């Protein structure tokens, strides 16, 4: 991997890690549904011109029913679930739980696409779920009632990501990634915006909250997708997906710096167990060895 690609990988991890910080700031003021409706709308408005400029919009013709299914599981549902979760959970913890996506991806692929799970991957699955328990143990012991559902929402969101990834592989692998990204945001905005309008906030959100919406839509969604596609083209999907291991590091760091969130030994142990599990499940650790 060249120094340029490595720098882009670190930048992408920093951007996606910051998205949990921004959700923590904006979601309480807008409410989860309206907040994510505005995020996806902003991202759609940003990505669509690039899709048209690259002449990829024609790939979506006659495929919108598939695009809406993919958009629901890849964006609309998980975004709303994470926005709900950050009302109670810290940005850092939420970013760590997000790293369970490849674990659920392997499980869904096993049952849906009949992909094999190696003995090392099975150990990785166990380590991943142990890590989730360790990560949440202190919070569950202190206040299980207000912690259990948000944590479950995060896991449901990553399970949705896993369904979307396998659905895309099965039915939409012929569509270019930029068209998929733009279509996902367009369909998600169409789904979330009508729902979000039923849950308007009682008071006008602050200027900071509006700024967060724009940053999430343009930087953390639009530009982040473009960087991710560049990495896939330059270094391949296997190395590009290693960003999964870096996002929790930045998520924890940004939460600690800007929101004064504590990084305890329990969080570090849970994070380490989850990331080790992800590495074993995806075969990343085995390949390195």
């Amino acid at each position: 991997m060249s120094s340029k690609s490595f720098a882009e990988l670190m930048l992408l991890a920093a951007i996606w890690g910051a998205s949990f910080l921004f959700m923590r700031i904006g979601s309480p003021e807008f409410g989860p549904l309206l907040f994510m409706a505005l995020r996806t709308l902003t991202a759609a408005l940003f990505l669509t011109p690039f899709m048209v400029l690259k002449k990829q919009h024609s790939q979506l013709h006659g495929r919108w029913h598939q695009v809406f299914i993919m958009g629901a599981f890849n964006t609309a549902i998980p975004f709303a679930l994470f926005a709900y979760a950050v009302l109670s959970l810290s940005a850092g913890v939420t970013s760590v739980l997000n790293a369970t996506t490849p674990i659920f991806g392997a499980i869904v692929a096993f049952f849906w696409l009949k992909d094999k799970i190696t003995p090392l991957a099975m150990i990785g699955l166990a380590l991943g779920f142990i890590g989730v328990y360790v990560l949440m143990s202190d919070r569950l012991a202190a206040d299980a009632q207000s912690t259990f559902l948000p944590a479950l929402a995060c896991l449901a969101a990553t399970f949705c990501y896993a369904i979307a990834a396998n659905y895309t592989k099965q039915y939409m692998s012929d569509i270019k990634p930029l068209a998929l990204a733009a279509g996902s945001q367009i369909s998600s905005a169409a789904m979330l915006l009508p729902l979000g309008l039923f849950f308007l906030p009682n008071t006008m959100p602050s200027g900071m909250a509006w700024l967060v919406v724009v940053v999430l839509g343009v930087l953390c969604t639009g530009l982040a997708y473009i960087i991710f596609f560049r990495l896939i083209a330059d270094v391949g999907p296997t190395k590009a997906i290693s960003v999964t291991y870096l996002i929790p590091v930045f998520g924890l760091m940004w939460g600690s710096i800007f929101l004064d969130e504590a990084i305890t030994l329990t969080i570090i142990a849970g994070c380490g167990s989850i990331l080790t599990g992800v590495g074993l499940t995806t075969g990343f650790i085995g390949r390195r060895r």
Side-chain angles (χ1 to χ4, degrees), residues 93 97 130-144 147 151 264-267 269-270:
V93 166
L97 290 174
I130 290 171
V132 170
Y133 175 77
V134 172
L135 179 70
M136 303 308 303
S137 59
D138 286 349
R139 288 167 174 77
L140 288 170
D143 189 1
T147 301
T264 65
L265 289 176
T266 302
I267 291 175

Side-chain angles (χ1 to χ4, degrees), residues 54-112:
K54 294 287 186 180
K55 298 180 180 179
Q56 296 183 12
H57 57 287
S58 60
Q59 294 194 332
L60 302 180
H61 293 168
R63 308 287 295 275
W64 280 103
H65 64 290
Q66 294 178 328
V67 172
F68 266 78
I69 294 172
M70 185 270 293
F73 285 99
N74 188 65
T75 304
I77 298 173
F79 275 21
L81 288 171
F82 274 122
Y84 159 74
V86 296
L87 296 176
S88 303
L89 301 180
S90 69
V93 166
T94 309
S95 71
V96 174
L97 290 174
N98 177 71
T100 60
T101 298
I103 295 175
F104 283 113
I107 295 173
V108 172
F110 174 76
F111 286 103
W112 187 354

Side-chain angles (χ1 to χ4, degrees), residues 165-176:
N166 285 275
Y167 182 86
T168 302
K169 180 180 179 181
Q170 182 81 350
Y171 299 111
M172 308 180 73
S173 58
D174 58 317
I175 299 178
K176 294 290 183 64

